[in-house]
Amino acid sequence: MSLIVQKFGGSSVRDTEHLLRMAHIARERRAEGNDVVVVLSAQGDTTDTLLKKALELTPSPDGREMDALLASGEQVSAALGALALQTLGVDAVSLSAWQVPIETDGAHGDAQIEMIDTARIRRELDAGRVAVVTGFQGVDENGDVTTLGRGGSDTSAVALAAALRADELIIYTDVDGIFSSDPRVCPDAVRRERISYDDMLLLAQKGAQVLHDRSVALAQQSGVPVTVKSCEAGSRGSVVCERGDAAQVVGVTQKKSEASQLAAITAVGDALPSVERERAVVTALERGGVSVYAVAGGERFLSVYVLRADADRALRLAHSALIR
Ligand code: ASP
Ligand code: MG
C-alpha cells in the first residue's frame, strides 16, 4: 500500500463537474488500496475575485485580513471536495491548515511553512478516509491564518508529500505536463518527459506558472519527484526530478509585470548563454517585427527584453529559433 498525494489546481475543481472528476481520480487510487491525501486550490478564479473585492475597499489592505479573505477560497474547495468524494461513496474529511496543522511564519501573503504535524492526517488515513487538505493556507504562532503567495498550493502539496514521506506526488493542472513553453501561447511547444529540478526552478523563477517556484525548491531539497499532468484520461504528463531529458535548451518562458513596460523572454538550458543562440533569437525577433530592448545572460539562461504588448509573439519567435 502506498501513500499518494494528489493536488488539483483551481481550473481542475472549478465547478461541480470538475469536482466530481477530481473525486473519481482520487477514488480510483483509493480503491487500489492506497492512502490518499488530496490538496485543493480555490475554484477557478476565486482568489482573483476575492482580491478584487478587497481592492475595491482599499488600495492597501491589511495583510492579516487579506489572508483571512483569500484562504476562504481553499476552504470552500476542501469542503466541496470532501462532499464530492462522499457522493461517490468514498469516506473523506476536509482539513484546513489550522486543523492539520500546517505551521508557518507570520509573513502574511508570503508565508513560509515551518512545520507540518502529520498526526491528524495519519489518523484520518488509518480510519480509512481520504484527507482533503486546503492548499495555499497555513497558520502562524498566533493561530492566525496565513497564505503562501500566489500559486502556493503547489508548495502545500510538496510540503505535505515530504512530511508524510509520500510514495507519489501528482499535481493535476490544465495542461498535459511541463512543456518547452506555455502551450496555450506557443502551439509548437513540446512536452518534456522529465525535467530537472534546476531547470524547472529557473523556469518558474523566470515566469513559468505551471509550478510555484518555492514548491520546486522544496521538492528538490526533500528529494520528492513531482509528476505534473492533466485530469484527462490518457494524460502522460511530466516528471520533475534530479535529471531531465537531454536538451540543450529546455524551455522558454516569459515574465510580465504591471510595473514595467518591458517583458522578459527567458530561455533555460545547458547551452546557455551562447553568442550564437543570442544572435539567432535577436534576428528571429527583429525579422518578426519585435524590437529587442536589452539582452541579459546568466548561468544557464538567456533573457531578451521586449515591449509587454509583444511578449506573446516574442515567446513564439524565440521558441522556434531555439527549440528543434
Ligand atoms: N488560490 C491561490 C492562487 O490563486 C493558490 C493556488 O491556486 O495555488 O494563487
Ligand atoms: Mg498553480
Side-chain angles (χ1 to χ4, degrees), residues 13 15 19-20 22-23 38-43 71-88 90-97 99 130-135 137:
V13 291
D15 54 22
L19 280 164
L20 286 168
M22 170 283 292
V38 171
V39 181
L40 298 183
S41 289
Q43 293 185 283
S72 69
E74 272 67 15
Q75 182 75 60
V76 169
S77 287
L80 288 174
L83 287 173
L85 279 156
Q86 290 170 7
T87 307
L88 300 186
V90 180
D91 203 359
V93 61
S94 70
L95 294 172
S96 41
Q99 289 171 306
V130 170
V132 185
V133 182
T134 51
Q137 294 185 3

PDB file of all heavy atoms in Angstrom, residues 13 15 19-20 22-23 38-43 71-88 90-97 99 130-135 137:
ATOM      1  N   VAL A  13     -10.914  22.108 -10.369  1.00  0.00           N
ATOM      2  CA  VAL A  13     -12.022  21.953  -9.403  1.00  0.00           C
ATOM      3  C   VAL A  13     -13.019  23.103  -9.567  1.00  0.00           C
ATOM      4  O   VAL A  13     -13.732  23.458  -8.640  1.00  0.00           O
ATOM      5  CB  VAL A  13     -11.524  21.897  -7.928  1.00  0.00           C
ATOM      6  CG1 VAL A  13     -10.755  20.620  -7.659  1.00  0.00           C
ATOM      7  CG2 VAL A  13     -10.664  23.105  -7.561  1.00  0.00           C
ATOM      8  N   ASP A  15     -15.870  23.717 -11.003  1.00  0.00           N
ATOM      9  CA  ASP A  15     -17.329  23.597 -10.865  1.00  0.00           C
ATOM     10  C   ASP A  15     -17.667  22.158 -10.448  1.00  0.00           C
ATOM     11  O   ASP A  15     -16.770  21.337 -10.233  1.00  0.00           O
ATOM     12  CB  ASP A  15     -18.031  23.994 -12.174  1.00  0.00           C
ATOM     13  CG  ASP A  15     -17.483  23.211 -13.363  1.00  0.00           C
ATOM     14  OD1 ASP A  15     -16.901  22.118 -13.153  1.00  0.00           O
ATOM     15  OD2 ASP A  15     -17.618  23.675 -14.506  1.00  0.00           O
ATOM     16  N   LEU A  19     -15.237  19.010  -9.920  1.00  0.00           N
ATOM     17  CA  LEU A  19     -15.066  18.444  -8.570  1.00  0.00           C
ATOM     18  C   LEU A  19     -15.316  16.934  -8.611  1.00  0.00           C
ATOM     19  O   LEU A  19     -14.594  16.145  -7.990  1.00  0.00           O
ATOM     20  CB  LEU A  19     -16.045  19.093  -7.594  1.00  0.00           C
ATOM     21  CG  LEU A  19     -15.637  20.470  -7.050  1.00  0.00           C
ATOM     22  CD1 LEU A  19     -16.837  21.173  -6.430  1.00  0.00           C
ATOM     23  CD2 LEU A  19     -14.512  20.335  -6.022  1.00  0.00           C
ATOM     24  N   LEU A  20     -16.336  16.542  -9.354  1.00  0.00           N
ATOM     25  CA  LEU A  20     -16.646  15.113  -9.423  1.00  0.00           C
ATOM     26  C   LEU A  20     -15.566  14.352 -10.199  1.00  0.00           C
ATOM     27  O   LEU A  20     -15.218  13.225  -9.849  1.00  0.00           O
ATOM     28  CB  LEU A  20     -18.031  14.890 -10.055  1.00  0.00           C
ATOM     29  CG  LEU A  20     -19.197  15.259  -9.116  1.00  0.00           C
ATOM     30  CD1 LEU A  20     -20.516  15.297  -9.876  1.00  0.00           C
ATOM     31  CD2 LEU A  20     -19.283  14.268  -7.935  1.00  0.00           C
ATOM     32  N   MET A  22     -12.412  15.180 -10.230  1.00  0.00           N
ATOM     33  CA  MET A  22     -11.339  15.066  -9.238  1.00  0.00           C
ATOM     34  C   MET A  22     -11.636  13.883  -8.301  1.00  0.00           C
ATOM     35  O   MET A  22     -10.769  13.052  -8.019  1.00  0.00           O
ATOM     36  CB  MET A  22     -11.256  16.383  -8.451  1.00  0.00           C
ATOM     37  CG  MET A  22     -10.373  16.404  -7.221  1.00  0.00           C
ATOM     38  SD  MET A  22     -11.052  15.624  -5.754  1.00  0.00           S
ATOM     39  CE  MET A  22     -12.375  16.740  -5.354  1.00  0.00           C
ATOM     40  N   ALA A  23     -12.879  13.803  -7.845  1.00  0.00           N
ATOM     41  CA  ALA A  23     -13.241  12.754  -6.889  1.00  0.00           C
ATOM     42  C   ALA A  23     -13.103  11.360  -7.518  1.00  0.00           C
ATOM     43  O   ALA A  23     -12.672  10.410  -6.852  1.00  0.00           O
ATOM     44  CB  ALA A  23     -14.663  12.987  -6.385  1.00  0.00           C
ATOM     45  N   VAL A  38      -5.616  14.480  -0.698  1.00  0.00           N
ATOM     46  CA  VAL A  38      -5.918  15.389  -1.806  1.00  0.00           C
ATOM     47  C   VAL A  38      -5.663  16.816  -1.323  1.00  0.00           C
ATOM     48  O   VAL A  38      -6.071  17.175  -0.217  1.00  0.00           O
ATOM     49  CB  VAL A  38      -7.397  15.211  -2.234  1.00  0.00           C
ATOM     50  CG1 VAL A  38      -7.809  16.277  -3.228  1.00  0.00           C
ATOM     51  CG2 VAL A  38      -7.622  13.815  -2.820  1.00  0.00           C
ATOM     52  N   VAL A  39      -4.977  17.611  -2.127  1.00  0.00           N
ATOM     53  CA  VAL A  39      -4.732  19.021  -1.790  1.00  0.00           C
ATOM     54  C   VAL A  39      -5.420  19.864  -2.855  1.00  0.00           C
ATOM     55  O   VAL A  39      -5.228  19.631  -4.048  1.00  0.00           O
ATOM     56  CB  VAL A  39      -3.211  19.328  -1.778  1.00  0.00           C
ATOM     57  CG1 VAL A  39      -2.959  20.790  -1.412  1.00  0.00           C
ATOM     58  CG2 VAL A  39      -2.482  18.405  -0.815  1.00  0.00           C
ATOM     59  N   LEU A  40      -6.246  20.805  -2.418  1.00  0.00           N
ATOM     60  CA  LEU A  40      -7.022  21.567  -3.396  1.00  0.00           C
ATOM     61  C   LEU A  40      -6.718  23.064  -3.366  1.00  0.00           C
ATOM     62  O   LEU A  40      -6.498  23.655  -2.307  1.00  0.00           O
ATOM     63  CB  LEU A  40      -8.522  21.371  -3.155  1.00  0.00           C
ATOM     64  CG  LEU A  40      -9.052  19.935  -3.286  1.00  0.00           C
ATOM     65  CD1 LEU A  40     -10.564  19.918  -3.097  1.00  0.00           C
ATOM     66  CD2 LEU A  40      -8.682  19.323  -4.643  1.00  0.00           C
ATOM     67  N   SER A  41      -6.767  23.659  -4.564  1.00  0.00           N
ATOM     68  CA  SER A  41      -6.719  25.124  -4.724  1.00  0.00           C
ATOM     69  C   SER A  41      -8.138  25.666  -4.709  1.00  0.00           C
ATOM     70  O   SER A  41      -9.098  24.919  -4.861  1.00  0.00           O
ATOM     71  CB  SER A  41      -6.123  25.496  -6.083  1.00  0.00           C
ATOM     72  OG  SER A  41      -4.774  25.233  -6.142  1.00  0.00           O
ATOM     73  N   ALA A  42      -8.250  26.978  -4.621  1.00  0.00           N
ATOM     74  CA  ALA A  42      -9.559  27.633  -4.730  1.00  0.00           C
ATOM     75  C   ALA A  42     -10.124  27.417  -6.141  1.00  0.00           C
ATOM     76  O   ALA A  42      -9.371  27.310  -7.107  1.00  0.00           O
ATOM     77  CB  ALA A  42      -9.404  29.119  -4.449  1.00  0.00           C
ATOM     78  N   GLN A  43     -11.437  27.360  -6.238  1.00  0.00           N
ATOM     79  CA  GLN A  43     -12.081  27.079  -7.524  1.00  0.00           C
ATOM     80  C   GLN A  43     -11.868  28.217  -8.538  1.00  0.00           C
ATOM     81  O   GLN A  43     -12.095  29.384  -8.204  1.00  0.00           O
ATOM     82  CB  GLN A  43     -13.588  26.940  -7.319  1.00  0.00           C
ATOM     83  CG  GLN A  43     -13.984  25.722  -6.515  1.00  0.00           C
ATOM     84  CD  GLN A  43     -15.496  25.599  -6.475  1.00  0.00           C
ATOM     85  OE1 GLN A  43     -16.156  26.319  -5.730  1.00  0.00           O
ATOM     86  NE2 GLN A  43     -16.036  24.707  -7.296  1.00  0.00           N
ATOM     87  N   ALA A  71      -7.814  32.893   2.010  1.00  0.00           N
ATOM     88  CA  ALA A  71      -7.801  31.484   2.424  1.00  0.00           C
ATOM     89  C   ALA A  71      -9.189  30.861   2.353  1.00  0.00           C
ATOM     90  O   ALA A  71      -9.327  29.631   2.311  1.00  0.00           O
ATOM     91  CB  ALA A  71      -7.246  31.372   3.844  1.00  0.00           C
ATOM     92  N   SER A  72     -10.215  31.703   2.310  1.00  0.00           N
ATOM     93  CA  SER A  72     -11.577  31.155   2.272  1.00  0.00           C
ATOM     94  C   SER A  72     -11.823  30.383   0.981  1.00  0.00           C
ATOM     95  O   SER A  72     -12.627  29.451   0.944  1.00  0.00           O
ATOM     96  CB  SER A  72     -12.609  32.269   2.446  1.00  0.00           C
ATOM     97  OG  SER A  72     -12.625  33.102   1.303  1.00  0.00           O
ATOM     98  N   GLY A  73     -11.130  30.750  -0.100  1.00  0.00           N
ATOM     99  CA  GLY A  73     -11.324  30.047  -1.374  1.00  0.00           C
ATOM    100  C   GLY A  73     -10.962  28.570  -1.260  1.00  0.00           C
ATOM    101  O   GLY A  73     -11.682  27.679  -1.734  1.00  0.00           O
ATOM    102  N   GLU A  74      -9.839  28.296  -0.604  1.00  0.00           N
ATOM    103  CA  GLU A  74      -9.392  26.906  -0.449  1.00  0.00           C
ATOM    104  C   GLU A  74     -10.290  26.159   0.543  1.00  0.00           C
ATOM    105  O   GLU A  74     -10.505  24.948   0.418  1.00  0.00           O
ATOM    106  CB  GLU A  74      -7.934  26.890   0.013  1.00  0.00           C
ATOM    107  CG  GLU A  74      -6.892  26.926  -1.112  1.00  0.00           C
ATOM    108  CD  GLU A  74      -6.845  28.221  -1.918  1.00  0.00           C
ATOM    109  OE1 GLU A  74      -7.403  29.234  -1.471  1.00  0.00           O
ATOM    110  OE2 GLU A  74      -6.231  28.202  -3.004  1.00  0.00           O
ATOM    111  N   GLN A  75     -10.818  26.902   1.520  1.00  0.00           N
ATOM    112  CA  GLN A  75     -11.734  26.295   2.484  1.00  0.00           C
ATOM    113  C   GLN A  75     -12.971  25.740   1.767  1.00  0.00           C
ATOM    114  O   GLN A  75     -13.419  24.613   2.031  1.00  0.00           O
ATOM    115  CB  GLN A  75     -12.162  27.384   3.485  1.00  0.00           C
ATOM    116  CG  GLN A  75     -13.083  26.904   4.574  1.00  0.00           C
ATOM    117  CD  GLN A  75     -12.322  26.097   5.588  1.00  0.00           C
ATOM    118  OE1 GLN A  75     -11.392  26.598   6.209  1.00  0.00           O
ATOM    119  NE2 GLN A  75     -12.689  24.845   5.738  1.00  0.00           N
ATOM    120  N   VAL A  76     -13.490  26.535   0.856  1.00  0.00           N
ATOM    121  CA  VAL A  76     -14.664  26.120   0.083  1.00  0.00           C
ATOM    122  C   VAL A  76     -14.329  24.876  -0.747  1.00  0.00           C
ATOM    123  O   VAL A  76     -15.072  23.882  -0.750  1.00  0.00           O
ATOM    124  CB  VAL A  76     -15.130  27.285  -0.843  1.00  0.00           C
ATOM    125  CG1 VAL A  76     -16.163  26.806  -1.855  1.00  0.00           C
ATOM    126  CG2 VAL A  76     -15.668  28.445  -0.009  1.00  0.00           C
ATOM    127  N   SER A  77     -13.190  24.913  -1.426  1.00  0.00           N
ATOM    128  CA  SER A  77     -12.815  23.769  -2.268  1.00  0.00           C
ATOM    129  C   SER A  77     -12.679  22.486  -1.456  1.00  0.00           C
ATOM    130  O   SER A  77     -13.121  21.422  -1.888  1.00  0.00           O
ATOM    131  CB  SER A  77     -11.468  24.029  -2.960  1.00  0.00           C
ATOM    132  OG  SER A  77     -11.621  24.976  -3.969  1.00  0.00           O
ATOM    133  N   ALA A  78     -12.021  22.591  -0.280  1.00  0.00           N
ATOM    134  CA  ALA A  78     -11.782  21.374   0.510  1.00  0.00           C
ATOM    135  C   ALA A  78     -13.114  20.766   0.977  1.00  0.00           C
ATOM    136  O   ALA A  78     -13.313  19.541   0.888  1.00  0.00           O
ATOM    137  CB  ALA A  78     -10.883  21.684   1.702  1.00  0.00           C
ATOM    138  N   ALA A  79     -14.021  21.619   1.434  1.00  0.00           N
ATOM    139  CA  ALA A  79     -15.313  21.096   1.902  1.00  0.00           C
ATOM    140  C   ALA A  79     -16.103  20.499   0.733  1.00  0.00           C
ATOM    141  O   ALA A  79     -16.637  19.381   0.829  1.00  0.00           O
ATOM    142  CB  ALA A  79     -16.108  22.206   2.579  1.00  0.00           C
ATOM    143  N   LEU A  80     -16.139  21.214  -0.391  1.00  0.00           N
ATOM    144  CA  LEU A  80     -16.846  20.672  -1.561  1.00  0.00           C
ATOM    145  C   LEU A  80     -16.159  19.396  -2.069  1.00  0.00           C
ATOM    146  O   LEU A  80     -16.829  18.443  -2.492  1.00  0.00           O
ATOM    147  CB  LEU A  80     -16.903  21.712  -2.693  1.00  0.00           C
ATOM    148  CG  LEU A  80     -17.836  22.907  -2.479  1.00  0.00           C
ATOM    149  CD1 LEU A  80     -17.672  23.919  -3.617  1.00  0.00           C
ATOM    150  CD2 LEU A  80     -19.299  22.449  -2.390  1.00  0.00           C
ATOM    151  N   GLY A  81     -14.840  19.388  -1.995  1.00  0.00           N
ATOM    152  CA  GLY A  81     -14.087  18.202  -2.440  1.00  0.00           C
ATOM    153  C   GLY A  81     -14.443  16.983  -1.602  1.00  0.00           C
ATOM    154  O   GLY A  81     -14.642  15.877  -2.138  1.00  0.00           O
ATOM    155  N   ALA A  82     -14.513  17.173  -0.278  1.00  0.00           N
ATOM    156  CA  ALA A  82     -14.875  16.054   0.597  1.00  0.00           C
ATOM    157  C   ALA A  82     -16.311  15.605   0.300  1.00  0.00           C
ATOM    158  O   ALA A  82     -16.598  14.390   0.247  1.00  0.00           O
ATOM    159  CB  ALA A  82     -14.720  16.461   2.062  1.00  0.00           C
ATOM    160  N   LEU A  83     -17.189  16.573   0.069  1.00  0.00           N
ATOM    161  CA  LEU A  83     -18.583  16.207  -0.274  1.00  0.00           C
ATOM    162  C   LEU A  83     -18.636  15.438  -1.592  1.00  0.00           C
ATOM    163  O   LEU A  83     -19.386  14.456  -1.724  1.00  0.00           O
ATOM    164  CB  LEU A  83     -19.453  17.467  -0.383  1.00  0.00           C
ATOM    165  CG  LEU A  83     -19.802  18.166   0.939  1.00  0.00           C
ATOM    166  CD1 LEU A  83     -20.519  19.487   0.671  1.00  0.00           C
ATOM    167  CD2 LEU A  83     -20.674  17.255   1.811  1.00  0.00           C
ATOM    168  N   ALA A  84     -17.840  15.867  -2.562  1.00  0.00           N
ATOM    169  CA  ALA A  84     -17.823  15.181  -3.868  1.00  0.00           C
ATOM    170  C   ALA A  84     -17.391  13.728  -3.688  1.00  0.00           C
ATOM    171  O   ALA A  84     -17.989  12.799  -4.255  1.00  0.00           O
ATOM    172  CB  ALA A  84     -16.899  15.910  -4.835  1.00  0.00           C
ATOM    173  N   LEU A  85     -16.358  13.518  -2.868  1.00  0.00           N
ATOM    174  CA  LEU A  85     -15.890  12.148  -2.611  1.00  0.00           C
ATOM    175  C   LEU A  85     -16.958  11.323  -1.901  1.00  0.00           C
ATOM    176  O   LEU A  85     -17.223  10.173  -2.265  1.00  0.00           O
ATOM    177  CB  LEU A  85     -14.599  12.182  -1.790  1.00  0.00           C
ATOM    178  CG  LEU A  85     -13.342  12.443  -2.623  1.00  0.00           C
ATOM    179  CD1 LEU A  85     -12.227  13.041  -1.790  1.00  0.00           C
ATOM    180  CD2 LEU A  85     -12.872  11.139  -3.284  1.00  0.00           C
ATOM    181  N   GLN A  86     -17.576  11.941  -0.895  1.00  0.00           N
ATOM    182  CA  GLN A  86     -18.637  11.232  -0.162  1.00  0.00           C
ATOM    183  C   GLN A  86     -19.783  10.849  -1.095  1.00  0.00           C
ATOM    184  O   GLN A  86     -20.353   9.753  -0.979  1.00  0.00           O
ATOM    185  CB  GLN A  86     -19.149  12.088   0.995  1.00  0.00           C
ATOM    186  CG  GLN A  86     -18.119  12.233   2.128  1.00  0.00           C
ATOM    187  CD  GLN A  86     -18.524  13.279   3.160  1.00  0.00           C
ATOM    188  OE1 GLN A  86     -19.626  13.811   3.117  1.00  0.00           O
ATOM    189  NE2 GLN A  86     -17.620  13.583   4.083  1.00  0.00           N
ATOM    190  N   THR A  87     -20.093  11.730  -2.031  1.00  0.00           N
ATOM    191  CA  THR A  87     -21.150  11.454  -3.008  1.00  0.00           C
ATOM    192  C   THR A  87     -20.840  10.196  -3.820  1.00  0.00           C
ATOM    193  O   THR A  87     -21.735   9.463  -4.229  1.00  0.00           O
ATOM    194  CB  THR A  87     -21.285  12.656  -3.988  1.00  0.00           C
ATOM    195  OG1 THR A  87     -21.454  13.825  -3.211  1.00  0.00           O
ATOM    196  CG2 THR A  87     -22.448  12.502  -4.928  1.00  0.00           C
ATOM    197  N   LEU A  88     -19.542   9.965  -4.050  1.00  0.00           N
ATOM    198  CA  LEU A  88     -19.138   8.763  -4.799  1.00  0.00           C
ATOM    199  C   LEU A  88     -18.922   7.569  -3.870  1.00  0.00           C
ATOM    200  O   LEU A  88     -18.357   6.562  -4.273  1.00  0.00           O
ATOM    201  CB  LEU A  88     -17.851   9.041  -5.575  1.00  0.00           C
ATOM    202  CG  LEU A  88     -17.885  10.165  -6.613  1.00  0.00           C
ATOM    203  CD1 LEU A  88     -16.573  10.197  -7.394  1.00  0.00           C
ATOM    204  CD2 LEU A  88     -19.048   9.979  -7.594  1.00  0.00           C
ATOM    205  N   VAL A  90     -17.025   7.489  -1.118  1.00  0.00           N
ATOM    206  CA  VAL A  90     -15.691   7.421  -0.518  1.00  0.00           C
ATOM    207  C   VAL A  90     -15.725   8.173   0.800  1.00  0.00           C
ATOM    208  O   VAL A  90     -16.179   9.317   0.852  1.00  0.00           O
ATOM    209  CB  VAL A  90     -14.643   8.065  -1.453  1.00  0.00           C
ATOM    210  CG1 VAL A  90     -13.249   7.989  -0.832  1.00  0.00           C
ATOM    211  CG2 VAL A  90     -14.666   7.416  -2.821  1.00  0.00           C
ATOM    212  N   ASP A  91     -15.223   7.546   1.861  1.00  0.00           N
ATOM    213  CA  ASP A  91     -15.164   8.221   3.150  1.00  0.00           C
ATOM    214  C   ASP A  91     -14.081   9.304   3.054  1.00  0.00           C
ATOM    215  O   ASP A  91     -12.939   9.008   2.687  1.00  0.00           O
ATOM    216  CB  ASP A  91     -14.807   7.177   4.222  1.00  0.00           C
ATOM    217  CG  ASP A  91     -15.265   7.626   5.601  1.00  0.00           C
ATOM    218  OD1 ASP A  91     -15.820   8.736   5.717  1.00  0.00           O
ATOM    219  OD2 ASP A  91     -15.057   6.856   6.559  1.00  0.00           O
ATOM    220  N   ALA A  92     -14.441  10.538   3.334  1.00  0.00           N
ATOM    221  CA  ALA A  92     -13.485  11.640   3.159  1.00  0.00           C
ATOM    222  C   ALA A  92     -13.738  12.713   4.197  1.00  0.00           C
ATOM    223  O   ALA A  92     -14.855  12.883   4.676  1.00  0.00           O
ATOM    224  CB  ALA A  92     -13.639  12.243   1.764  1.00  0.00           C
ATOM    225  N   VAL A  93     -12.673  13.435   4.537  1.00  0.00           N
ATOM    226  CA  VAL A  93     -12.793  14.503   5.525  1.00  0.00           C
ATOM    227  C   VAL A  93     -11.966  15.699   5.045  1.00  0.00           C
ATOM    228  O   VAL A  93     -10.847  15.530   4.558  1.00  0.00           O
ATOM    229  CB  VAL A  93     -12.333  14.004   6.917  1.00  0.00           C
ATOM    230  CG1 VAL A  93     -10.870  13.565   6.916  1.00  0.00           C
ATOM    231  CG2 VAL A  93     -12.536  15.073   7.989  1.00  0.00           C
ATOM    232  N   SER A  94     -12.527  16.901   5.144  1.00  0.00           N
ATOM    233  CA  SER A  94     -11.751  18.092   4.768  1.00  0.00           C
ATOM    234  C   SER A  94     -10.963  18.575   5.979  1.00  0.00           C
ATOM    235  O   SER A  94     -11.424  18.469   7.117  1.00  0.00           O
ATOM    236  CB  SER A  94     -12.680  19.212   4.280  1.00  0.00           C
ATOM    237  OG  SER A  94     -13.433  19.729   5.362  1.00  0.00           O
ATOM    238  N   LEU A  95      -9.772  19.089   5.712  1.00  0.00           N
ATOM    239  CA  LEU A  95      -8.941  19.654   6.786  1.00  0.00           C
ATOM    240  C   LEU A  95      -8.350  20.965   6.301  1.00  0.00           C
ATOM    241  O   LEU A  95      -7.705  21.003   5.246  1.00  0.00           O
ATOM    242  CB  LEU A  95      -7.798  18.691   7.140  1.00  0.00           C
ATOM    243  CG  LEU A  95      -8.171  17.341   7.763  1.00  0.00           C
ATOM    244  CD1 LEU A  95      -6.931  16.444   7.851  1.00  0.00           C
ATOM    245  CD2 LEU A  95      -8.790  17.530   9.153  1.00  0.00           C
ATOM    246  N   SER A  96      -8.579  22.043   7.059  1.00  0.00           N
ATOM    247  CA  SER A  96      -7.899  23.283   6.699  1.00  0.00           C
ATOM    248  C   SER A  96      -6.557  23.314   7.423  1.00  0.00           C
ATOM    249  O   SER A  96      -6.258  22.448   8.245  1.00  0.00           O
ATOM    250  CB  SER A  96      -8.758  24.496   7.001  1.00  0.00           C
ATOM    251  OG  SER A  96      -9.401  24.324   8.208  1.00  0.00           O
ATOM    252  N   ALA A  97      -5.747  24.331   7.086  1.00  0.00           N
ATOM    253  CA  ALA A  97      -4.367  24.344   7.582  1.00  0.00           C
ATOM    254  C   ALA A  97      -4.307  24.303   9.103  1.00  0.00           C
ATOM    255  O   ALA A  97      -3.455  23.615   9.680  1.00  0.00           O
ATOM    256  CB  ALA A  97      -3.641  25.563   7.043  1.00  0.00           C
ATOM    257  N   GLN A  99      -6.316  22.943  11.107  1.00  0.00           N
ATOM    258  CA  GLN A  99      -6.725  21.641  11.635  1.00  0.00           C
ATOM    259  C   GLN A  99      -5.632  20.589  11.484  1.00  0.00           C
ATOM    260  O   GLN A  99      -5.604  19.616  12.224  1.00  0.00           O
ATOM    261  CB  GLN A  99      -7.999  21.169  10.924  1.00  0.00           C
ATOM    262  CG  GLN A  99      -9.221  21.989  11.323  1.00  0.00           C
ATOM    263  CD  GLN A  99     -10.427  21.663  10.475  1.00  0.00           C
ATOM    264  OE1 GLN A  99     -10.372  21.727   9.256  1.00  0.00           O
ATOM    265  NE2 GLN A  99     -11.526  21.305  11.111  1.00  0.00           N
ATOM    266  N   VAL A 130     -10.135   9.476   2.998  1.00  0.00           N
ATOM    267  CA  VAL A 130      -9.302  10.341   2.171  1.00  0.00           C
ATOM    268  C   VAL A 130      -9.258  11.695   2.874  1.00  0.00           C
ATOM    269  O   VAL A 130     -10.305  12.216   3.278  1.00  0.00           O
ATOM    270  CB  VAL A 130      -9.903  10.492   0.748  1.00  0.00           C
ATOM    271  CG1 VAL A 130      -9.188  11.581  -0.039  1.00  0.00           C
ATOM    272  CG2 VAL A 130      -9.855   9.158   0.006  1.00  0.00           C
ATOM    273  N   ALA A 131      -8.057  12.248   3.064  1.00  0.00           N
ATOM    274  CA  ALA A 131      -7.934  13.568   3.687  1.00  0.00           C
ATOM    275  C   ALA A 131      -7.874  14.614   2.578  1.00  0.00           C
ATOM    276  O   ALA A 131      -7.026  14.540   1.694  1.00  0.00           O
ATOM    277  CB  ALA A 131      -6.674  13.628   4.547  1.00  0.00           C
ATOM    278  N   VAL A 132      -8.798  15.566   2.621  1.00  0.00           N
ATOM    279  CA  VAL A 132      -8.833  16.634   1.613  1.00  0.00           C
ATOM    280  C   VAL A 132      -8.352  17.916   2.279  1.00  0.00           C
ATOM    281  O   VAL A 132      -9.058  18.498   3.113  1.00  0.00           O
ATOM    282  CB  VAL A 132     -10.259  16.825   1.051  1.00  0.00           C
ATOM    283  CG1 VAL A 132     -10.236  17.843  -0.085  1.00  0.00           C
ATOM    284  CG2 VAL A 132     -10.841  15.496   0.575  1.00  0.00           C
ATOM    285  N   VAL A 133      -7.126  18.309   1.947  1.00  0.00           N
ATOM    286  CA  VAL A 133      -6.467  19.394   2.676  1.00  0.00           C
ATOM    287  C   VAL A 133      -6.470  20.665   1.824  1.00  0.00           C
ATOM    288  O   VAL A 133      -6.263  20.616   0.612  1.00  0.00           O
ATOM    289  CB  VAL A 133      -5.008  18.987   3.017  1.00  0.00           C
ATOM    290  CG1 VAL A 133      -4.307  20.084   3.811  1.00  0.00           C
ATOM    291  CG2 VAL A 133      -4.974  17.666   3.783  1.00  0.00           C
ATOM    292  N   THR A 134      -6.686  21.802   2.479  1.00  0.00           N
ATOM    293  CA  THR A 134      -6.619  23.089   1.780  1.00  0.00           C
ATOM    294  C   THR A 134      -5.186  23.367   1.349  1.00  0.00           C
ATOM    295  O   THR A 134      -4.262  23.279   2.154  1.00  0.00           O
ATOM    296  CB  THR A 134      -7.027  24.239   2.728  1.00  0.00           C
ATOM    297  OG1 THR A 134      -6.261  24.113   3.939  1.00  0.00           O
ATOM    298  CG2 THR A 134      -8.509  24.192   3.050  1.00  0.00           C
ATOM    299  N   GLY A 135      -4.991  23.740   0.090  1.00  0.00           N
ATOM    300  CA  GLY A 135      -3.692  24.254  -0.330  1.00  0.00           C
ATOM    301  C   GLY A 135      -3.570  25.701   0.105  1.00  0.00           C
ATOM    302  O   GLY A 135      -4.516  26.290   0.640  1.00  0.00           O
ATOM    303  N   GLN A 137      -2.888  27.592   2.343  1.00  0.00           N
ATOM    304  CA  GLN A 137      -3.082  28.122   3.695  1.00  0.00           C
ATOM    305  C   GLN A 137      -2.031  27.632   4.677  1.00  0.00           C
ATOM    306  O   GLN A 137      -1.514  26.538   4.549  1.00  0.00           O
ATOM    307  CB  GLN A 137      -4.391  27.600   4.286  1.00  0.00           C
ATOM    308  CG  GLN A 137      -5.653  28.030   3.662  1.00  0.00           C
ATOM    309  CD  GLN A 137      -6.840  27.492   4.478  1.00  0.00           C
ATOM    310  OE1 GLN A 137      -6.677  26.855   5.526  1.00  0.00           O
ATOM    311  NE2 GLN A 137      -8.031  27.745   3.990  1.00  0.00           N
TER     312      GLN A 137
END
